[in-house]
Amino acid sequence: MKIGLVLEGGAMRGMYTAGVLDTFLDENIVVDGIISVSAGALFGVNYLSQQKGRAIRYNKALINDDRYISFKNLIKTGNIIDKEFAFYEVPFKIDIFDNEAYKQSPIDFYVTVTNMQTAQAEYVKLTDPFKQMEVLRATSAMPYVSKPVEIDGKEYLDGAIADSIPLEQMQKMGYDKIIVVLTRPLEYRKSKPLSLISKLYYRDYPNFAEAVNNRYAMYNNQVEQVIEQGNKGDIFVIRPSKDLAIKRIEKDVNKLQEMYELGISDMQQQLADLKDFLAK
């Protein structure tokens, strides 16, 4: 039996995922493989390095630091998240990521990125976060507020554009027991965007522009698949039990803490059911 874990993105809603995964660490819930997207990747790596509390700690400490996430960065560099500070100073110097512990983990960790030319999802195995930091940057590079991230001569952005909830990919990879962690409540669905915006903004990347426009339909379809398979008991789904008013780029540290604590409490309430699911 191979246990898989799918981690949705959602920017600062990912504090929910951080709470869930910290509870996994407390309860010694172990999986064999993970496919992550965007914030799910950024915060999910701490599960493999076993650094409980790291994600909520550094985000609360730095969220109002303009060097981290700010419109000043966007105006100055074209990236709302500062590359050097967020991806190279924070994990290397400020709140140090345990790269060696990560590399010793037996868990296979995949990061979803969107190829801007093809608009297809690619799943990169992350074996050394310090050496593959640009992969983490690519998966979390939000459209419109991020420059394309170049990896091996190809340009990438937010993995969620091509595959927001990569359950199907995890099943294709042969995982039998799959846990899906979402960051939106049950009733949430995306609305259709104004197609002209992406067509103009990404006119040099027509496939990507089309993917941005169609993401709402893809996402909503994936949510329905998750609900159907969850109701059948084929997968185990963890999602926010209530809708918290938290922005993608949330600056209120109390709201970050509230989202994190919701992840902990929701997971604790479902812990017995999860253990039963994994034991079947």
Side-chain angles (χ1 to χ4, degrees):
M1 182 180 72
K2 288 176 66 179
I3 301 171
L5 177 62
V6 176
L7 303 177
E8 182 187 13
M12 287 304 152
R13 291 194 309 274
M15 287 297 103
Y16 181 84
T17 303
V20 170
L21 294 180
D22 281 352
T23 307
F24 275 29
L25 290 174
D26 282 343
E27 299 293 334
N28 196 32
I29 303 294
V30 180
V31 302
D32 299 295
I34 297 172
I35 300 183
S36 60
V37 184
S38 194
L42 297 185
F43 305 148
V45 292
N46 298 293
Y47 170 62
L48 275 70
S49 66
Q50 299 189 41
Q51 289 177 280
K52 178 186 174 183
R54 180 176 177 270
I56 184 65
R57 182 177 63 239
Y58 78 75
N59 276 284
K60 285 176 66 176
L62 299 172
I63 196 64
N64 288 299
D65 189 325
D66 285 344
R67 296 173 298 170
Y68 185 44
I69 304 174
S70 69
F71 284 100
K72 287 184 180 179
N73 288 336
L74 182 61
I75 294 168
K76 185 178 178 180
T77 68
N79 290 306
I80 197 165
I81 301 176
D82 183 82
K83 170 185 173 178
E84 295 302 326
F85 184 77
F87 291 93
Y88 291 94
E89 284 196 46
V90 173
F92 284 82
K93 301 176 182 178
I94 295 175
D95 197 318
I96 298 173
F97 177 72
D98 193 338
N99 201 53
E100 291 306 311
Y102 178 97
K103 290 193 292 184
Q104 291 172 17
S105 172
I107 301 170
D108 291 329
F109 193 92
Y110 295 89
V111 175
T112 308
V113 294
T114 300
N115 184 310
M116 292 191 68
Q117 291 293 342
T118 66
Q120 296 298 306
E122 297 180 14
Y123 309 93
V124 182
K125 188 172 182 179
L126 197 75
T127 57
D128 188 329
F130 278 1
K131 290 183 179 179
Q132 295 174 282
M133 196 60 72
E134 291 301 282
V135 175
L136 289 171
R137 206 163 72 81
T139 190
S140 58
M142 296 178 285
Y144 304 118
V145 293
S146 307
K147 288 181 176 180
V149 178
E150 186 174 320
I151 302 171
D152 296 331
K154 299 178 182 179
E155 293 179 312
Y156 297 91
L157 278 181
D158 193 346
I161 298 301
D163 197 353
S164 296
I165 308 171
L167 170 61
E168 184 176 345
Q169 177 65 21
M170 179 130 271
Q171 291 168 330
K172 287 179 179 177
M173 293 170 70
Y175 289 88
D176 323 278
K177 295 275 186 177
I178 298 177
I179 307 163
V180 179
V181 180
L182 304 180
T183 57
R184 293 282 197 179
L186 178 63
E187 63 277 6
Y188 177 79
R189 300 294 184 278
K190 288 190 180 296
S191 300
K192 186 176 182 178
L194 294 173
S195 61
L196 185 61
I197 297 175
S198 66
K199 287 181 178 179
L200 289 174
Y201 198 87
Y202 291 112
R203 56 188 175 275
D204 294 332
Y205 307 91
N207 293 326
F208 185 80
E210 184 177 359
V212 170
N213 289 333
N214 293 331
R215 186 197 169 197
Y216 81 100
M218 176 267 293
Y219 178 86
N220 293 343
N221 182 59
Q222 289 182 326
V223 168
E224 296 301 332
Q225 290 177 6
V226 167
I227 291 172
E228 181 182 354
Q229 294 188 42
N231 288 340
K232 289 180 179 178
D234 295 338
I235 62 174
F236 192 92
V237 186
I238 305 162
R239 59 164 60 85
S241 57
K242 57 184 178 181
D243 189 8
L244 297 181
I246 183 169
K247 301 171 185 174
R248 286 181 63 82
I249 302 176
E250 182 59 65
K251 295 290 188 176
D252 186 335
V253 296
N254 293 321
K255 290 184 177 181
L256 297 184
Q257 184 69 33
E258 186 179 9
M259 196 70 177
Y260 173 74
E261 290 177 358
L262 182 63
I264 293 173
S265 63
D266 282 354
M267 189 62 261
Q268 288 175 339
Q269 290 179 22
Q270 297 181 70
L271 194 57
D273 291 338
L274 175 58
K275 289 182 177 179
D276 285 344
F277 172 78
L278 295 176
K280 287 180 182 177

